[in-house]
C-alpha cells in the first residue's frame, strides 16, 4: 500500500528551484543524481530547471506522478494536494512545516484540511513537517541536506524509522562516516497518515532490510495494539532497536512542540516495547553499538560468556559489566584448565576471565582461543586486546576475523586507548568484529544480541 513511496516510476517536486540554499533545489539535485525514473519539477516561476522542463502547476503534468514531494509554504499545501488528488497521484511526501506542531489554530486547521483532502482521494501521506525518505536502492531522496552537510551511506541493510528529521540525518551521516550500509530511512514528522505501524509492516516484507532502527516520540491515539501486533510480526524475521524519546514530563512537552507528538506515559510505552519484542536502546551510542552487533554477529545459543584479556583490571570490569547484564561467566572447567595450563606460562590466569598478562603476544591469544571457541559450553567470547602491549602486532585481528566465520558464534572486542587502539579497531571492524571502547558498552550490546536471540528462538 505504501510501496510507491519507495519504488516510484515517476516523481513530481512541487516547489523545485535552482536557487542556492532552497530546499527545493537540494531535493531536485538529489533525484537527478540517483533516481532513474521520470522527474517533473513544478514551479510557476520557471520554464526550465537544471535542464528539465518545469511545469507551472500539477494540472499541466503529462501524467499522474507515482510520488509527489511538496516543498512550498504550508498555506499553499491543501490546494496543491487537491490538484494531485484530482490528477491521480496517491503517494505524497509533505516536507513543509507550519502545521499542528506550531500549536496554533491556523496550523491545526491546515493539518485537518490536509487529512480531509487525503481521505477524499485516497492519498497516502508522509509528513508534514518532515525530511521524508532516503532510499538507497531506488534513488528516492527527499532529505534536503546537501552532500557536503550530510554524507550519504553506501547501500546496505539497515532500515531507519524516525519521527525526528534531525535525528534521522545525524544517524545517516554517522553511518556514512562509519561505512555502515543503509537500505531505507524514513522521517515522518507529524504523521498525519503514514505512521510507525504502516512502516513496520512495510519493513517486515522488505528484503533489502535486515535490521530496523527506530526513533519514536509518541504513537497516534488508539494505535498501541496495532503497533504491538505489527512489531511482533516484524521481530519474527528481523531485529528492531528502538529509542523512545519524551520519557520525562518535560521531554513529553518538548516532543509535543517538536512534532505534535503525544509522548504519553513512558511506563506504558516501555511495557508495549517489551511486549512487542523490540530492543530498547537508552542512548545514541547504544543504538549504534547494538546495530554493529546485529549486523556482524550470529545469534547466541545461550548466555555463557568467556573473556580473554591482556589486562586483568579490564577483565574484572568486564566480569562486573557482563554479570550486571545477566550473563553467566562460567568458572573454567577442569578439562579446559588443564589444556590452558599446558600451553600457557605459569603466571597466566586460567580462570574465566582468562588473563594472558602484559607479556602476551598474538600467538598466545590464538592458542587460547583455539581451545575456547570450539566448545559447546561457550556461547560468546569477548576479547580484550589492549594494543599498548608490545606483543600485539596484528595477527590476532586476522585470526579473530577468520574465527567468526569458522566457529559461528559471537566474538566481540574491547580496545581502549589512542592511536594504536583506533588502528586495531578499524581493522577488526572492517572484518566484521565489533569493537567497543568500554566494558559496559560491550556488555550492553551483547545483551541486546542475547535478548533478540531468545525472542527469535521463541518465534521459530
Amino acid at each position: 500500500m505504501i510501496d510507491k513511496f519507495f519504488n516510484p516510476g515517476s516523481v513530481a517536486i512541487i516547489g523545485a528551484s535552482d536557487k542556492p540554499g532552497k530546499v527545493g533545489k537540494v531535493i531536485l539535485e538529489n533525484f537527478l543524481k540517483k533516481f532513474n525514473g521520470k522527474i517533473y519539477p513544478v514551479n510557476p516561476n520557471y520554464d526550465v530547471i537544471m535542464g528539465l522542463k518545469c511545469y507551472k502547476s500539477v494540472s499541466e503534468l503529462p501524467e499522474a506522478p507515482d510520488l509527489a514531494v511538496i516543498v512550498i509554504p504550508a498555506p499553499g499545501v491543501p490546494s496543491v494536494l487537491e490538484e494531485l488528488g484530482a490528477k491521480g497521484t496517491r503517494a505524497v511526501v509533505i516536507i513543509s512545516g507550519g502545521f499542528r506542531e506550531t500549536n496554533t489554530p491556523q496550523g491545526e486547521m491546515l493539518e485537518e484540511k490536509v487529512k480531509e483532502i487525503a481521505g477524499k482521494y485516497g492519498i497516502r501521506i508522509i509528513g508534514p513537517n518532515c525530511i521524508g525518505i532516503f532510499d538507497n536502492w531506488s534513488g528516492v531522496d527527499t532529505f534536503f541536506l546537501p552532500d557536503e552537510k550530510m554524507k550519504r551511506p553506501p547501500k546496505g541493510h539497515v532500515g531507519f524509522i524516525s519521527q525526528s528529521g534531525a535525528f534521522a540525518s545525524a544517524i545517516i551521516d554517522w553511518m556514512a562516516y562509519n561505512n555502515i550500509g543503509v537500505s531505507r530511512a524514513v522521517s515522518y514528522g507529524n504523521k498525519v497518515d503514514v505512521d510507525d505501524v504502516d512502516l513496520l509492516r512495510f519493513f517486515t516484507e522488505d528484503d533489502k532490510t535486515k535490521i530496523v532502527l527506530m526513533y519514536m516520540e509518541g504513537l497516534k491515539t488508539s494505535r498501541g495494539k496495532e503497533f504491538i501486533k505489527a512489531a511482533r510480526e516484524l521481530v519474527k524475521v528481523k531485529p528492531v532497536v528502538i529509542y523512545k524519546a519524551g520519557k520525562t514530563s518535560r521531554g513529553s512537552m518538548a516532543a509535543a512542540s517538536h512534532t505534535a507528538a503525544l509522548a504519553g506515559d513512558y511506563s506504558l510505552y516501555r511495557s508495549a516495547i517489551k511486549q512487542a519484542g523490540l530492543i530498547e536502546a537508552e542512548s545514541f551510542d547504544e543504538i549504534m553499538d547494538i546495530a554493529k552487533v546485529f549486523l556482524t554477529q550470529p545469534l547466541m545459543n545461550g548466555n555463557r560468556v568467556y573473556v580473554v584479556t591482556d589486562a586483568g583490571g579490564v577483565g574484572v570490569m568486564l566480569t562486573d559489566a557482563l554479570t550486571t547484564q545477566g550473563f553467566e561467566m562460567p568458572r573454567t572447567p577442569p578439562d579446559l584448565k588443564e589444556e590452558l595450563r599446558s600451553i600457557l606460562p605459569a603466571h597466566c590466569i586460567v580462570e574465566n576471565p582468562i588473563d594472558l598478562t602484559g607479556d602476551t603476544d598474538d600467538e598466545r591469544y590464538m592458542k587460547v582461543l583455539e581451545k575456547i571457541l570450539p566448545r559447546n559450553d561457550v556461547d560468546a567470547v569477548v576479547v580484550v586486546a589492549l594494543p599498548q602491549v608490545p606483543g600485539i602486532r596484528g595477527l590476532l585481528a586476522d585470526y579473530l576475523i577468520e574465527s567468526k566465520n569458522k566457529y559461528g558464534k559471537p566474538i566481540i572486542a574491547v580496545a581502549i586507548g589512542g592511536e594504536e587502539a583506533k588502528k586495531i579497531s578499524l581493522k577488526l571492524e572492517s572484518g566484521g568484529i565489533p569493537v567497543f571502547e568500554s566494558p559496559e558498552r560491550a556488555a550492553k550490546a551483547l545483551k541486546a544480541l542475547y535478548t533478540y536471540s531468545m525472542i527469535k528462538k521463541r518465534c521459530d
Side-chain angles (χ1 to χ4, degrees), residues 20 61 87 141 152 156 177 202 209 238 266 284 289 301 329 342 348 357 372 381 390 392 432 436:
L61 293 173
K87 193 76 177 177
D141 185 356
R152 268 59 174 177
Y177 180 77
F202 172 80
T209 300
K238 60 196 76 169
Y266 173 57
F284 182 89
D289 288 348
N301 292 319
M329 289 277 294
S342 71
C348 292
T357 72
I372 295 171
V381 175
I392 304 299
F436 302 93

Side-chain angles (χ1 to χ4, degrees), residues 126-162:
I126 288 178
N129 182 37
C130 70
I131 60 173
I133 299 167
F134 169 75
D135 190 312
N136 242 338
W137 295 93
S138 69
V140 170
D141 185 356
T142 70
F143 281 26
F144 52 81
L145 298 104
D147 286 345
E148 63 268 21
K149 296 286 188 179
M150 186 195 83
K151 300 295 182 189
R152 268 59 174 177
K155 284 182 181 177
H157 302 289
V158 179
F160 186 50
I161 302 170
S162 178

Side-chain angles (χ1 to χ4, degrees), residues 375-411:
R375 295 179 64 97
N376 292 328
D377 56 359
V378 177
D379 297 309
V381 175
V382 184
V383 177
V384 181
L386 299 192
Q388 296 84 354
V389 171
I392 304 299
R393 301 182 305 279
L395 292 176
L396 174 61
D398 295 327
Y399 169 82
L400 291 174
I401 292 164
E402 289 171 15
S403 297
K404 186 195 78 162
N405 299 321
K406 180 178 177 181
Y407 293 109
K409 61 182 64 174
I411 302 171

Side-chain angles (χ1 to χ4, degrees), residues 213-364:
L213 309 180
M214 289 187 74
Y215 168 94
M216 177 200 289
E217 291 173 4
L219 288 169
K220 284 182 185 175
T221 305
S222 304
R223 288 288 266 178
K225 287 183 179 177
E226 286 297 308
F227 173 78
I228 292 172
K229 183 180 176 183
R232 279 177 173 166
E233 289 302 307
L234 177 52
V235 299
K236 287 178 182 178
V237 291
K238 60 196 76 169
V240 182
V241 182
I242 184 168
Y243 180 85
K244 169 66 178 78
K247 298 183 180 79
T248 63
S249 59
R250 191 64 186 84
S252 295
M253 288 173 63
S257 62
H258 178 214
T259 56
L262 297 171
D265 184 339
Y266 173 57
S267 63
L268 295 177
Y269 277 97
R270 191 165 196 176
S271 176
I273 288 166
K274 191 172 182 180
Q275 284 182 57
L278 309 183
I279 305 298
E280 185 175 10
E282 295 180 353
S283 68
F284 182 89
D285 287 341
E286 205 170 316
I287 292 172
M288 296 297 96
D289 288 348
I290 294 170
K292 284 197 301 188
V293 168
F294 278 132
L295 284 169
T296 60
Q297 299 302 300
L299 298 180
M300 296 178 70
N301 292 319
N303 73 338
R304 298 161 298 183
V305 181
Y306 273 73
V307 172
V308 182
T309 181
D310 58 3
V314 180
V316 175
M317 291 170 71
L318 255 171
T319 302
D320 282 341
L322 290 164
T323 304
T324 300
Q325 293 300 325
F327 287 107
E328 180 186 347
M329 289 277 294
R331 301 289 298 270
T332 307
D335 63 317
L336 180 56
K337 277 185 178 177
E338 190 175 329
E339 288 182 38
L340 294 177
R341 284 189 178 122
S342 71
I343 59 172
L344 290 175
H347 63 273
C348 292
I349 310 299
V350 297
E351 187 61 74
N352 187 23
I354 297 163
D355 183 5
L356 305 185
T357 72
D359 67 348
T360 191
D361 55 20
D362 293 317
E363 288 76 12
R364 190 181 295 175

